[in-house]
């Protein structure tokens, strides 16, 4: 688990509060089950790279959610034309 491998190291280091919070947020995930996609040859470096990859994917997922919401808003605006029969045209 992330908490078993990372949190003791964070307690000994001078890392920021944000880094500790990010590690705590990922503590329920199992680093060994998350694919890294490459190896550095050093187990501790691989664990650190896996955690960075997890954080990156979390941020990327948040960005994707924002993009999806923006697309929905644009589609709601453009895909709902109103018909004004008096003007003889369709649109806003």
């Amino acid at each position: 688990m992330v908490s078993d491998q990372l949190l003791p190291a964070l307690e000994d280091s001078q890392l920021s509060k944000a880094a500790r919070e990010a590690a705590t947020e990922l503590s329920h995930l199992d680093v060994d089950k998350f694919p890294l996609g490459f190896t550095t040859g050093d187990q501790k470096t691989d664990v650190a790279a896996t955690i960075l990859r997890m954080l990156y994917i979390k941020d990327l997922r948040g960005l994707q959610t924002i993009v999806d919401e923006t697309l929905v808003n644009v589609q709601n605006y453009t895909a709902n034309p109103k018909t004004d029969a008096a003007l003889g045209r369709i649109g806003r």
Side-chain angles (χ1 to χ4, degrees):
M1 300 294 279
V2 174
S3 59
D4 298 338
Q5 298 170 350
L6 184 64
L7 292 179
L10 290 176
E11 292 170 0
D12 297 336
S13 69
Q14 297 298 322
L15 292 178
S16 69
K17 182 180 176 186
R20 286 189 187 94
E21 289 172 359
T24 304
E25 186 176 309
L26 294 174
S27 65
H28 68 281
L29 299 174
D30 189 1
V31 174
D32 297 327
K33 292 182 180 178
F34 194 86
L36 179 57
F38 62 91
T39 183
T40 63
D42 180 35
Q43 180 63 26
K44 290 182 180 182
T45 306
D46 287 347
V47 169
T50 301
I51 292 168
L52 288 173
R53 184 176 175 139
M54 289 173 156
L55 290 170
Y56 172 73
I57 290 173
K58 178 183 171 280
D59 289 345
L60 195 60
R61 180 64 248 167
L63 177 63
Q64 183 65 48
T65 300
I66 292 169
V67 169
D68 290 345
E69 290 171 354
T70 303
L71 286 172
V72 167
N73 288 334
V74 168
Q75 288 174 343
N76 285 337
Y77 182 76
T78 61
N80 189 15
K82 296 183 179 180
T83 304
D84 188 351
L87 298 175
R89 63 180 180 196
I90 298 174
R92 296 180 186 242

